[in-house]
Amino acid sequence: MKILSFHPFSLFANGGGNRILRRLYQGREAQVTSLVVEGVTPGLPKGNITEVAVYAFPITRWWMKWRLRNLAIWLRQRLFRGFTIRKIQRAAKTIQYDVLHVVNHGVFSAALCHSQFLNGKQLWVSFHDHFSTSHSAVDDTRQLWRRADRRLVISAEMGNEYARLFGNMNFEIITDGVMPEEVSQAAKDVATPCKIYFAGLLHLHYMPLFEVLANTLDSLSRGGHSFKLILRGTQQLRFLNGRLFETEYRPVTLNDAELKAELDAADLLYLPIKFTTPDFYRYSLSTKMVGYLGAPGSILYHGPKDSAACHLLDKSNAAVCCTTLNADELAECIKLVLSRQVQVSQNAKQLARLQFDLPAIQKRFWQQQ
């Protein structure tokens, strides 16, 4: 079985959707061709899966100021959208495949949802984010949902919402996962200083959560606690300067072994979810959360109470959840997670084994229909 994997990002760029696909295809890379529609300066990262790039016109370049960049994006998505779709279709015709696997993300996600590409072939569609937060048209999302042979959703919340909106059809939950050897065998004692770990860039709407975290760590430090905040792939944050705790910045990496070693060394795994954009937090699950579950430390969730991640973690007692931007409440949650370190960590690893076992997820994904 050969898969044509179609999406608006390289499999080897940094991101949650990229990681999910890399993990699903792991061990079967020769059976996959990745068709990427890009809107930025030409050049894809190198990896062990063949990638074919289609560049949407006009592309944006690094030297463009925001007005020119926004104009290019508008022209690409409106005036020249049909032109790019035809380029995508010409590229797809040169690739041999049995299954078309589409990620519903971006304005071109339904470009291959036509009989000439689906005749005799399976259509599998992954829905990682709500269409309103992933630049996908509602009509394209509806078409992909209804025409798909398999609907692969990131969470039960996502599947139920799309079934309500677009039709009550079967769906499967396919996410990132952890290998058995990536699940730690035991919880670890809290070190001094307590190491708090976070990986990823911070968008504007996450800044309030990190400012509350910083103020909380200062307050706890005055009370005798000691902390070290480790940030992997995060931009420099001025409001972290001059604090009572140490901050260490580390560069972006896609090295799974290196990331796993860092997770294993952490005491608290910080999982912030922005309070804005309900369509994002109610339906999406962070790949970061999945990786955290297998670590010996404990997860500190910080975000909305009605998020898909909070529902899952709270139901399984696999994290301590702070659902406000109140520094005093966050301080109590940090004290609680430190006092319940062993039990919270054990519950997280149990959840990882039951729901996020990567070999089982890969087996379900690759099954023939």
mmCIF file of all heavy atoms in Angstrom, residues 271-293:
data_model
loop_
_atom_site.group_PDB
_atom_site.id
_atom_site.type_symbol
_atom_site.label_atom_id
_atom_site.label_comp_id
_atom_site.label_asym_id
_atom_site.label_seq_id
_atom_site.Cartn_x
_atom_site.Cartn_y
_atom_site.Cartn_z
ATOM 1 N N LEU A 271 2.254 22.451 30.824
ATOM 2 C CA LEU A 271 1.382 22.331 29.655
ATOM 3 C C LEU A 271 0.389 23.484 29.641
ATOM 4 O O LEU A 271 -0.712 23.385 30.185
ATOM 5 C CB LEU A 271 0.643 20.996 29.676
ATOM 6 C CG LEU A 271 -0.286 20.714 28.490
ATOM 7 C CD1 LEU A 271 0.513 20.636 27.182
ATOM 8 C CD2 LEU A 271 -1.058 19.413 28.711
ATOM 9 N N PRO A 272 0.767 24.624 29.026
ATOM 10 C CA PRO A 272 -0.154 25.754 28.951
ATOM 11 C C PRO A 272 -1.060 25.643 27.715
ATOM 12 O O PRO A 272 -0.627 25.231 26.642
ATOM 13 C CB PRO A 272 0.787 26.948 28.817
ATOM 14 C CG PRO A 272 1.970 26.400 28.066
ATOM 15 C CD PRO A 272 2.094 24.948 28.466
ATOM 16 N N ILE A 273 -2.316 25.999 27.875
ATOM 17 C CA ILE A 273 -3.268 26.091 26.770
ATOM 18 C C ILE A 273 -3.905 27.474 26.838
ATOM 19 O O ILE A 273 -4.451 27.857 27.885
ATOM 20 C CB ILE A 273 -4.364 25.002 26.860
ATOM 21 C CG1 ILE A 273 -3.742 23.600 26.859
ATOM 22 C CG2 ILE A 273 -5.362 25.155 25.711
ATOM 23 C CD1 ILE A 273 -3.102 23.179 25.565
ATOM 24 N N LYS A 274 -3.848 28.217 25.751
ATOM 25 C CA LYS A 274 -4.354 29.590 25.773
ATOM 26 C C LYS A 274 -5.862 29.618 26.057
ATOM 27 O O LYS A 274 -6.609 28.743 25.622
ATOM 28 C CB LYS A 274 -4.033 30.290 24.449
ATOM 29 C CG LYS A 274 -4.626 29.634 23.216
ATOM 30 C CD LYS A 274 -4.156 30.347 21.961
ATOM 31 C CE LYS A 274 -4.707 29.676 20.699
ATOM 32 N NZ LYS A 274 -4.226 30.337 19.468
ATOM 33 N N PHE A 275 -6.266 30.654 26.784
ATOM 34 C CA PHE A 275 -7.667 30.810 27.159
ATOM 35 C C PHE A 275 -8.503 31.387 26.016
ATOM 36 O O PHE A 275 -9.736 31.366 26.077
ATOM 37 C CB PHE A 275 -7.792 31.715 28.384
ATOM 38 C CG PHE A 275 -7.411 31.028 29.670
ATOM 39 C CD1 PHE A 275 -6.087 30.982 30.083
ATOM 40 C CD2 PHE A 275 -8.371 30.429 30.465
ATOM 41 C CE1 PHE A 275 -5.726 30.357 31.271
ATOM 42 C CE2 PHE A 275 -8.026 29.796 31.652
ATOM 43 C CZ PHE A 275 -6.705 29.759 32.055
ATOM 44 N N THR A 276 -7.862 31.931 25.011
ATOM 45 C CA THR A 276 -8.572 32.471 23.851
ATOM 46 C C THR A 276 -8.856 31.347 22.850
ATOM 47 O O THR A 276 -8.321 30.247 22.969
ATOM 48 C CB THR A 276 -7.730 33.563 23.171
ATOM 49 O OG1 THR A 276 -6.446 33.021 22.839
ATOM 50 C CG2 THR A 276 -7.539 34.758 24.096
ATOM 51 N N THR A 277 -9.708 31.619 21.867
ATOM 52 C CA THR A 277 -10.019 30.705 20.765
ATOM 53 C C THR A 277 -10.588 29.367 21.251
ATOM 54 O O THR A 277 -9.921 28.322 21.198
ATOM 55 C CB THR A 277 -8.769 30.436 19.882
ATOM 56 O OG1 THR A 277 -8.011 31.624 19.728
ATOM 57 C CG2 THR A 277 -9.194 29.932 18.512
ATOM 58 N N PRO A 278 -11.837 29.370 21.722
ATOM 59 C CA PRO A 278 -12.460 28.126 22.201
ATOM 60 C C PRO A 278 -12.466 27.001 21.173
ATOM 61 O O PRO A 278 -12.336 25.827 21.547
ATOM 62 C CB PRO A 278 -13.891 28.568 22.549
ATOM 63 C CG PRO A 278 -13.758 30.019 22.895
ATOM 64 C CD PRO A 278 -12.702 30.544 21.967
ATOM 65 N N ASP A 279 -12.608 27.336 19.881
ATOM 66 C CA ASP A 279 -12.612 26.274 18.869
ATOM 67 C C ASP A 279 -11.272 25.545 18.813
ATOM 68 O O ASP A 279 -11.206 24.412 18.327
ATOM 69 C CB ASP A 279 -12.933 26.848 17.483
ATOM 70 C CG ASP A 279 -14.416 27.098 17.292
ATOM 71 O OD1 ASP A 279 -15.207 26.613 18.111
ATOM 72 O OD2 ASP A 279 -14.783 27.790 16.320
ATOM 73 N N PHE A 280 -10.224 26.183 19.296
ATOM 74 C CA PHE A 280 -8.925 25.507 19.365
ATOM 75 C C PHE A 280 -8.871 24.586 20.574
ATOM 76 O O PHE A 280 -8.629 23.377 20.457
ATOM 77 C CB PHE A 280 -7.789 26.527 19.412
ATOM 78 C CG PHE A 280 -6.448 25.927 19.738
ATOM 79 C CD1 PHE A 280 -5.752 25.207 18.793
ATOM 80 C CD2 PHE A 280 -5.905 26.060 21.011
ATOM 81 C CE1 PHE A 280 -4.525 24.627 19.095
ATOM 82 C CE2 PHE A 280 -4.679 25.495 21.323
ATOM 83 C CZ PHE A 280 -3.991 24.781 20.362
ATOM 84 N N TYR A 281 -9.099 25.138 21.766
ATOM 85 C CA TYR A 281 -8.838 24.330 22.956
ATOM 86 C C TYR A 281 -9.913 23.287 23.241
ATOM 87 O O TYR A 281 -9.638 22.287 23.906
ATOM 88 C CB TYR A 281 -8.567 25.205 24.181
ATOM 89 C CG TYR A 281 -9.705 26.072 24.687
ATOM 90 C CD1 TYR A 281 -10.829 25.521 25.295
ATOM 91 C CD2 TYR A 281 -9.613 27.465 24.632
ATOM 92 C CE1 TYR A 281 -11.844 26.322 25.802
ATOM 93 C CE2 TYR A 281 -10.616 28.269 25.124
ATOM 94 C CZ TYR A 281 -11.730 27.695 25.717
ATOM 95 O OH TYR A 281 -12.743 28.501 26.215
ATOM 96 N N ARG A 282 -11.117 23.466 22.743
ATOM 97 C CA ARG A 282 -12.170 22.486 23.024
ATOM 98 C C ARG A 282 -12.000 21.186 22.247
ATOM 99 O O ARG A 282 -12.530 20.151 22.660
ATOM 100 C CB ARG A 282 -13.538 23.085 22.688
ATOM 101 C CG ARG A 282 -14.026 24.111 23.688
ATOM 102 C CD ARG A 282 -15.336 24.700 23.241
ATOM 103 N NE ARG A 282 -15.813 25.724 24.168
ATOM 104 C CZ ARG A 282 -16.740 26.625 23.882
ATOM 105 N NH1 ARG A 282 -17.302 26.627 22.673
ATOM 106 N NH2 ARG A 282 -17.114 27.513 24.784
ATOM 107 N N TYR A 283 -11.278 21.237 21.116
ATOM 108 C CA TYR A 283 -11.252 20.065 20.238
ATOM 109 C C TYR A 283 -9.865 19.507 19.970
ATOM 110 O O TYR A 283 -9.737 18.333 19.612
ATOM 111 C CB TYR A 283 -11.923 20.418 18.899
ATOM 112 C CG TYR A 283 -13.289 21.023 19.076
ATOM 113 C CD1 TYR A 283 -13.545 22.343 18.727
ATOM 114 C CD2 TYR A 283 -14.329 20.282 19.611
ATOM 115 C CE1 TYR A 283 -14.802 22.905 18.897
ATOM 116 C CE2 TYR A 283 -15.586 20.829 19.798
ATOM 117 C CZ TYR A 283 -15.819 22.153 19.438
ATOM 118 O OH TYR A 283 -17.057 22.702 19.632
ATOM 119 N N SER A 284 -8.817 20.294 20.121
ATOM 120 C CA SER A 284 -7.470 19.838 19.770
ATOM 121 C C SER A 284 -6.751 19.256 20.986
ATOM 122 O O SER A 284 -7.010 19.658 22.121
ATOM 123 C CB SER A 284 -6.644 20.995 19.196
ATOM 124 O OG SER A 284 -7.193 21.436 17.971
ATOM 125 N N LEU A 285 -5.853 18.315 20.716
ATOM 126 C CA LEU A 285 -4.966 17.773 21.746
ATOM 127 C C LEU A 285 -3.524 18.070 21.359
ATOM 128 O O LEU A 285 -3.139 17.885 20.203
ATOM 129 C CB LEU A 285 -5.143 16.265 21.893
ATOM 130 C CG LEU A 285 -6.337 15.750 22.688
ATOM 131 C CD1 LEU A 285 -6.292 14.225 22.749
ATOM 132 C CD2 LEU A 285 -6.377 16.331 24.089
ATOM 133 N N SER A 286 -2.751 18.499 22.305
ATOM 134 C CA SER A 286 -1.363 18.853 22.050
ATOM 135 C C SER A 286 -0.491 17.605 21.944
ATOM 136 O O SER A 286 -0.571 16.700 22.782
ATOM 137 C CB SER A 286 -0.859 19.748 23.187
ATOM 138 O OG SER A 286 0.533 19.873 23.152
ATOM 139 N N THR A 287 0.352 17.544 20.911
ATOM 140 C CA THR A 287 1.328 16.458 20.837
ATOM 141 C C THR A 287 2.317 16.549 22.001
ATOM 142 O O THR A 287 2.866 15.532 22.434
ATOM 143 C CB THR A 287 2.094 16.500 19.507
ATOM 144 O OG1 THR A 287 2.728 17.780 19.365
ATOM 145 C CG2 THR A 287 1.165 16.285 18.331
ATOM 146 N N LYS A 288 2.530 17.763 22.489
ATOM 147 C CA LYS A 288 3.393 17.956 23.653
ATOM 148 C C LYS A 288 2.852 17.170 24.847
ATOM 149 O O LYS A 288 3.600 16.528 25.585
ATOM 150 C CB LYS A 288 3.446 19.450 23.977
ATOM 151 C CG LYS A 288 4.435 19.830 25.041
ATOM 152 C CD LYS A 288 4.338 21.311 25.355
ATOM 153 C CE LYS A 288 4.838 22.178 24.222
ATOM 154 N NZ LYS A 288 3.828 22.612 23.277
ATOM 155 N N MET A 289 1.525 17.209 25.028
ATOM 156 C CA MET A 289 0.908 16.486 26.146
ATOM 157 C C MET A 289 1.187 14.993 26.052
ATOM 158 O O MET A 289 1.479 14.335 27.063
ATOM 159 C CB MET A 289 -0.597 16.728 26.150
ATOM 160 C CG MET A 289 -1.339 16.038 27.281
ATOM 161 S SD MET A 289 -3.090 15.782 26.938
ATOM 162 C CE MET A 289 -2.996 14.412 25.772
ATOM 163 N N VAL A 290 1.109 14.444 24.849
ATOM 164 C CA VAL A 290 1.320 13.006 24.664
ATOM 165 C C VAL A 290 2.740 12.626 25.072
ATOM 166 O O VAL A 290 2.955 11.629 25.772
ATOM 167 C CB VAL A 290 1.034 12.601 23.203
ATOM 168 C CG1 VAL A 290 1.322 11.120 22.994
ATOM 169 C CG2 VAL A 290 -0.418 12.913 22.841
ATOM 170 N N GLY A 291 3.708 13.425 24.659
ATOM 171 C CA GLY A 291 5.085 13.154 25.057
ATOM 172 C C GLY A 291 5.287 13.272 26.558
ATOM 173 O O GLY A 291 6.027 12.490 27.172
ATOM 174 N N TYR A 292 4.619 14.252 27.167
ATOM 175 C CA TYR A 292 4.731 14.441 28.612
ATOM 176 C C TYR A 292 4.241 13.223 29.399
ATOM 177 O O TYR A 292 4.743 12.933 30.482
ATOM 178 C CB TYR A 292 3.896 15.648 29.038
ATOM 179 C CG TYR A 292 4.483 17.015 28.748
ATOM 180 C CD1 TYR A 292 5.717 17.175 28.131
ATOM 181 C CD2 TYR A 292 3.789 18.169 29.110
ATOM 182 C CE1 TYR A 292 6.233 18.436 27.874
ATOM 183 C CE2 TYR A 292 4.296 19.439 28.864
ATOM 184 C CZ TYR A 292 5.510 19.573 28.251
ATOM 185 O OH TYR A 292 6.018 20.822 28.010
ATOM 186 N N LEU A 293 3.220 12.527 28.882
ATOM 187 C CA LEU A 293 2.597 11.442 29.636
ATOM 188 C C LEU A 293 3.570 10.331 29.996
ATOM 189 O O LEU A 293 3.433 9.693 31.035
ATOM 190 C CB LEU A 293 1.428 10.852 28.838
ATOM 191 C CG LEU A 293 0.167 11.714 28.710
ATOM 192 C CD1 LEU A 293 -0.824 11.071 27.752
ATOM 193 C CD2 LEU A 293 -0.487 11.946 30.067
#
